[in-house]
Amino acid sequence: MMSNDASKRELKEPALVKNRTVSLEHDMLKKIHSATPHILQALSQGTLLRSLFNRAEANLKALLSHSYCLFITCDKHCANWYLPQQDSTNRVLLNRHGRLTSIPQAVITFAASLSCPMRYFEGIRQASDWNVWSSFFADNAFEEVAMTSAVDHHGTVYLALVFQKQAHRLEESLIELALCHHTALIRAIFEREKADFLLLEENYRDPSTGLLRRHSFDNSFNIVLKDSRRQFQRAAVFSIRLLSSSKVDEGELKTLVDVIRDTVRDNDLVARYDEHELVMGIRIQHHSDAEVVAEKILTSLNLAKFQKNTLINGGVAIGIAFYPEHSSLRSLHQAALLAAGVLGRHSGYRLEFHGEYYETSAAFY
């Protein structure tokens, strides 16, 4: 028969466990609240993304100091796996080429299950879907693991795995609290990365056409000019003036832009300078190469399928100037603009060469 003291002890033990859990949760929440403002400030200040990841990872390690945290990334197809940071514990998971190749089936399944952002596994040392890491578990006395995942806008899956030893086992609720905080930080980092990209694109390209903005074109084409000087190459600048005097319809302009893009090479630069002028910069070998491009643009715009496009039907006047005849982008653009102006209200192209305007480069000499 159980003594009164033993009976009282049994009643007290669950209460003690509960009080300990509450105390640990309180301590963890204090740590979370203490660390969060610093990480949010780093987010708002534009800290480098890898530095933000390092802070988030260090924060999770501090919250779960008696557990081992393993961070892994993989592509959206779960084919290529990486360890962003190596240490003396996780290095044994790499092959002799330094690659992470043996992945437990449980990890692969979890990474592919984006609708399940958190999982908890017990008895991993005996589980068949973890057996490729069995020696890793045995060497470190790991018995349990909790996993969480987050996905960036490229589809890359970021995983955090928290391994526990029996001697330092924390309640599942504490692990979940720490991982939820960590995942929220990682997702905030992903949102910052996406916002940076969108702001860059908005600053770099005209949103309605996808063409370069003027300052972006100027910066890029000045690099082309520097390369041309070093390699003794030619370049040409086109001023493409839209002859329609009506307000530009963005949909019709997009069609015209698509025609131009289909005509030039992927590495040629096209910008929207103002509402009625597009500017293009290309590398050429001969003056006649620029003529070929201009003729292709005009021929494409005259196709029957564009008859209902009032902007295209209004016509374009194309002026072309050459480097090294002009040594700067400013003088190239000014010369091309004047050449386009020679056409007045008529579609076509004119070539500027040493202050004169020509219908063909054959007339230069």
Side-chain angles (χ1 to χ4, degrees):
M1 188 173 178
M2 186 180 293
S3 67
N4 286 336
D5 288 343
S7 178
K8 288 177 182 178
R9 226 177 7 254
E10 262 196 18
L11 290 171
K12 285 181 179 179
E13 281 177 359
L16 289 172
V17 171
K18 183 177 180 181
N19 290 338
R20 177 177 175 273
T21 302
V22 170
S23 177
L24 289 171
E25 284 182 353
H26 179 71
D27 291 342
M28 187 173 289
L29 286 171
K30 282 178 64 177
K31 289 179 180 178
I32 289 173
H33 291 154
S34 175
T36 299
H38 299 289
I39 297 177
L40 292 179
Q41 186 176 20
L43 272 168
S44 65
Q45 290 176 335
T47 301
L48 294 174
L49 291 172
R50 186 62 252 176
S51 297
L52 291 172
F53 277 114
N54 290 342
R55 288 192 184 206
E57 290 167 2
N59 181 64
L60 183 62
K61 291 176 181 178
L63 292 176
L64 303 172
S65 56
H66 293 297
S67 303
Y68 176 70
C69 300
L70 177 67
F71 304 100
I72 305 175
T73 62
C74 69
D75 60 24
K76 60 184 178 182
H77 305 296
C78 298
N80 298 299
W81 299 78
Y82 306 94
L83 283 179
Q85 291 187 345
Q86 298 177 23
D87 58 40
S88 57
T89 302
N90 66 35
R91 202 165 289 128
V92 299
L93 299 175
L94 304 175
N95 64 16
R96 62 190 180 89
H97 301 295
R99 296 177 181 172
L100 186 64
T101 54
S102 298
I103 312 297
Q105 185 57 49
V107 176
I108 298 172
T109 302
F110 177 69
S113 306
L114 300 180
S115 61
C116 178
M118 192 174 298
R119 287 290 303 275
Y120 196 90
F121 294 90
E122 297 178 337
I124 54 177
R125 292 173 68 174
Q126 293 79 38
S128 60
D129 53 357
W130 288 92
N131 59 6
V132 295
W133 283 359
S134 58
S135 60
F136 172 64
F137 299 152
D139 292 343
N140 294 283
F142 295 146
E143 298 286 348
E144 301 174 3
V145 64
M147 296 191 293
T148 187
S149 68
V151 184
D152 70 9
H153 60 286
H154 303 295
T156 301
V157 183
Y158 179 93
L159 301 170
L161 285 69
V162 177
F163 295 99
Q164 292 198 86
K165 301 178 181 182
Q166 190 61 41
H168 300 289
R169 185 182 180 278
L170 287 175
E171 292 295 323
E172 189 175 337
S173 60
L174 290 172
I175 299 291
E176 184 176 345
L177 179 62
L179 284 177
C180 283
H181 173 65
H182 177 74
T183 306
L185 291 178
I186 296 301
R187 287 174 178 162
I189 293 170
F190 289 158
E191 288 300 316
R192 221 296 302 282
E193 181 185 25
K194 184 178 179 180
D196 284 351
F197 174 78
L198 292 175
L199 288 171
L200 178 64
E201 281 294 293
E202 186 176 313
N203 189 48
Y204 190 62
R205 294 186 179 276
D206 173 60
S208 59
T209 62
L211 295 179
L212 294 171
R213 291 187 185 274
R214 181 168 186 160
H215 70 274
S216 300
F217 174 88
D218 292 355
N219 290 338
S220 298
F221 194 73
N222 277 322
I223 295 173
V224 171
L225 290 180
K226 287 179 181 178
D227 289 342
S228 298
R229 290 188 189 102
R230 284 196 295 264
Q231 300 174 27
F232 303 101
Q233 294 178 335
R234 289 191 173 278
V237 167
F238 291 55
S239 173
I240 304 172
R241 190 160 54 89
L242 310 180
L243 298 178
S244 173
S245 58
S246 60
K247 182 175 175 60
V248 173
D249 178 271
E250 297 296 338
E252 292 186 337
L253 177 61
K254 183 68 168 59
T255 301
L256 186 150
V257 166
D258 289 341
V259 171
I260 293 174
R261 278 179 164 160
D262 289 341
T263 304
V264 300
R265 297 161 298 194
D266 290 341
N267 60 345
D268 290 330
L269 303 170
V270 188
R272 187 178 188 184
Y273 260 40
D274 64 31
E275 188 178 16
H276 285 85
E277 185 192 12
L278 308 179
V279 173
M280 185 165 68
I282 65 173
R283 300 174 190 266
I284 58 173
Q285 290 185 329
H286 308 286
H287 291 117
S288 58
D289 295 341
E291 292 179 74
V292 171
V293 172
E295 288 169 356
K296 283 183 177 179
I297 291 173
L298 292 170
T299 300
S300 297
L301 293 177
N302 284 326
L303 294 176
K305 63 181 179 179
F306 300 125
Q307 285 183 353
K308 294 182 180 180
N309 188 310
T310 56
L311 181 63
I312 291 177
N313 284 334
V316 297
I318 302 175
I320 305 170
F322 300 96
Y323 170 86
E325 284 73 21
H326 294 276
S327 60
S328 69
L329 174 57
R330 182 175 182 179
S331 62
L332 280 162
H333 174 243
Q334 186 65 27
L337 189 62
L338 290 172
V342 169
L343 290 162
R345 305 301 300 173
H346 301 286
S347 281
Y349 68 88
R350 288 291 183 272
L351 311 172
E352 191 278 344
F353 191 71
H354 294 292
E356 301 293 333
Y357 304 101
Y358 301 88
E359 295 183 16
T360 172
S361 62
F364 287 179
Y365 305 101

